[in-house]
Amino acid sequence: RPPIPKHKEAALLLTCGADSGDGEDIIRRQVKLAFTVLNATLREEILWKGTDRNPDIAPLLPEIQKAAGKMQARLPILAISGDL
């Protein structure tokens, strides 16, 4: 099928139980292929490793908020809550 006509921008928040990034590249390639069909561009990526040992997302919040801010700058209609 041809790609979906309306272009979109996307962000990827990826969690991994282990500290290694072996699966990260595989997942990124698969997501990019899917986004090609969806006519979406992957603009921001955030990887949260080691969730099996440390499920606390607090250290990652500044990075998430920074990526959300970049997306909002490109898409002014996007509403971003400060309560992530």
Side-chain angles (χ1 to χ4, degrees):
R1 294 183 180 169
I4 295 173
K6 185 176 179 185
H7 183 73
K8 291 162 279 313
E9 294 196 5
L12 174 64
L13 175 58
L14 180 61
T15 63
C16 297
D19 283 328
S20 73
D22 298 340
E24 171 188 353
D25 292 330
I26 295 168
I27 292 170
R28 184 181 293 116
R29 282 192 300 254
Q30 292 298 318
V31 166
K32 285 183 178 181
L33 288 173
F35 284 169
T36 299
V37 174
L38 295 171
N39 194 11
T41 302
L42 183 58
R43 296 290 184 194
E44 300 295 330
E45 297 179 38
I46 298 170
L47 174 63
W48 179 19
K49 296 181 184 180
T51 58
D52 286 348
R53 278 187 300 95
N54 184 10
D56 182 17
I57 194 170
L60 195 58
L61 288 177
E63 188 177 348
I64 293 170
Q65 290 173 327
K66 182 179 175 183
K70 286 181 188 176
M71 294 290 289
Q72 186 179 27
R74 285 193 293 274
L75 303 168
I77 61 168
L78 182 64
I80 298 180
S81 170
D83 300 326
L84 289 176

